[in-house]
Amino acid sequence: MTGHGPATGPQETPSFRLAYVPGTTPGKWARIWHERLPGVPLALLPVPAEKTADALRGGSADAGLVRLPVDRTFFSAIPLYTETTVVVVPKDHLITAADEVTLADLADEVVWHPLDDVLDWDAPPGRPAVERPATTADAVELVAAGVGLLVVPQSLARLHHRRDLTYRTVVDAPQSGVALCWPEHATTDLVEDFIGIVRGRTANSTRGRGTLQAGQTPPKRKTPEGAARQQPATGGSAGRTRQNRSTASKGAKDTRSAKSGKGSKGGKGAKGTGSGRPRRRS
């Protein structure tokens, strides 16, 4: 089965289409895909956060890196990570004096709430703006113009980075989770392949197709032939070696004792002569 829905014939080349929302970075997983499945093209499709569900429902993408929550009655999802939430401010703003802020610190500020906001607010912080910008990019432009502030996931602050702007962590703001998502009824072999990559399975993983190339089989463990028979022999050899070393060590010790005049009466007599050498006979 191809990534484009039901196969139309054996001549059709399989492919996989991955949608991803702004701020997510599928590059690492795409590189692994190309290494492990070089014969299966991977198409990366940037999609606005609010349109990812439609793209997956409509079949224009096979899976997506999306922002939670999703409709779990229709989609399967594997949570990947949760982002830090930050407030974007001009570099000379008073807020930059602190490393972290709270929503209460924003109470007297105009805070933009764009129409594509991905944070799930019970009530947006700060003073309400006159209107809502259409996009996060538009809101960033307003902040750069010195009008209001913007609270977003950190990846979006980085995506819309400007030299005249910076950001600070908002410790008590809602956070955005990112997940790999696909229609539950369309869990194809290629979806399973991508799941294996995202979960960090090795190329030789035996869990499903995982990251195996077409036609590959997991390598079998090899046990050296005769290993069980060789072990006793090796152990006996080691025992004889230890015994020989012990005997040699004892002999060397006796030799040192004799030289130092300890361990025999003759040695003590030699020590009494002062020279330690035997007398010559006349």
Side-chain angles (χ1 to χ4, degrees):
M1 184 173 183
T2 70
H4 290 289
T8 58
Q11 75 280 0
E12 185 177 352
T13 301
S15 63
F16 188 70
R17 298 158 301 164
L18 180 71
Y20 66 99
V21 298
T24 58
T25 52
K28 174 184 177 181
W29 296 318
R31 287 192 295 272
I32 297 174
W33 177 280
H34 291 312
E35 291 171 0
R36 297 183 183 177
L37 294 101
V40 182
L42 172 64
L44 299 179
L45 311 174
V47 178
E50 69 276 12
K51 295 183 178 180
T52 52
D54 292 339
L56 294 171
R57 286 180 185 275
S60 58
D62 301 296
L65 297 178
V66 307
R67 294 193 181 274
L68 296 172
V70 296
D71 179 4
R72 297 304 291 266
T73 64
F74 184 85
F75 295 109
S76 293
I78 299 174
L80 301 177
Y81 56 88
T82 300
E83 289 199 64
T84 298
T85 302
V86 301
V87 57
V88 180
V89 301
K91 282 190 172 181
D92 57 356
H93 197 282
L94 291 175
I95 283 179
T96 61
D99 293 330
E100 296 179 340
V101 299
T102 64
L103 294 177
D105 296 323
L106 308 179
D108 296 330
E109 303 285 347
V110 172
V111 178
W112 297 108
H113 185 49
L115 296 175
D116 65 353
D117 190 359
V118 297
L119 297 175
D120 186 17
W121 297 103
D122 290 331
R127 294 159 45 201
V130 177
E131 60 182 354
R132 297 182 63 182
T135 66
T136 297
D138 293 335
V140 169
E141 293 295 329
L142 291 169
V143 176
V147 183
L149 310 179
L150 176 65
V151 179
V152 291
Q154 184 172 319
S155 66
L156 292 182
R158 291 175 174 172
L159 179 65
H160 298 287
H161 170 72
R162 290 176 53 113
R163 292 184 179 180
D164 52 349
L165 299 179
T166 187
Y167 57 83
R168 292 292 184 269
T169 299
V170 186
V171 295
D172 55 349
Q175 295 179 312
S176 175
V178 174
L180 174 64
C181 176
W182 66 96
E184 186 173 1
H185 69 275
T187 308
T188 64
D189 286 342
L190 293 181
V191 169
E192 290 286 359
D193 286 332
F194 197 80
I195 291 172
I197 290 173
V198 168
R199 284 184 164 169
R201 296 176 193 163
T202 65
N204 294 327
S205 171
T206 58
R207 295 182 61 185
R209 280 168 50 101
T211 54
L212 295 178
Q213 297 241 16
Q216 276 190 320
T217 56
K220 296 182 180 179
R221 280 182 176 272
K222 293 184 178 180
T223 302
E225 294 183 3
R229 295 192 299 272
Q230 293 176 2
Q231 187 173 356
T234 302
S237 175
R240 288 194 297 273
T241 300
R242 286 195 294 270
Q243 184 177 3
N244 292 339
R245 288 177 179 174
S246 177
T247 302
S249 175
K250 183 177 179 182
K253 183 177 180 180
D254 293 341
T255 301
R256 289 194 298 269
S257 297
K259 287 184 178 181
S260 63
K262 298 179 182 179
S264 68
K265 292 182 180 180
K268 290 182 180 179
K271 184 178 181 181
T273 63
S275 63
R277 293 177 294 180
R279 293 180 182 180
R280 296 178 60 187
R281 294 184 179 181
S282 57

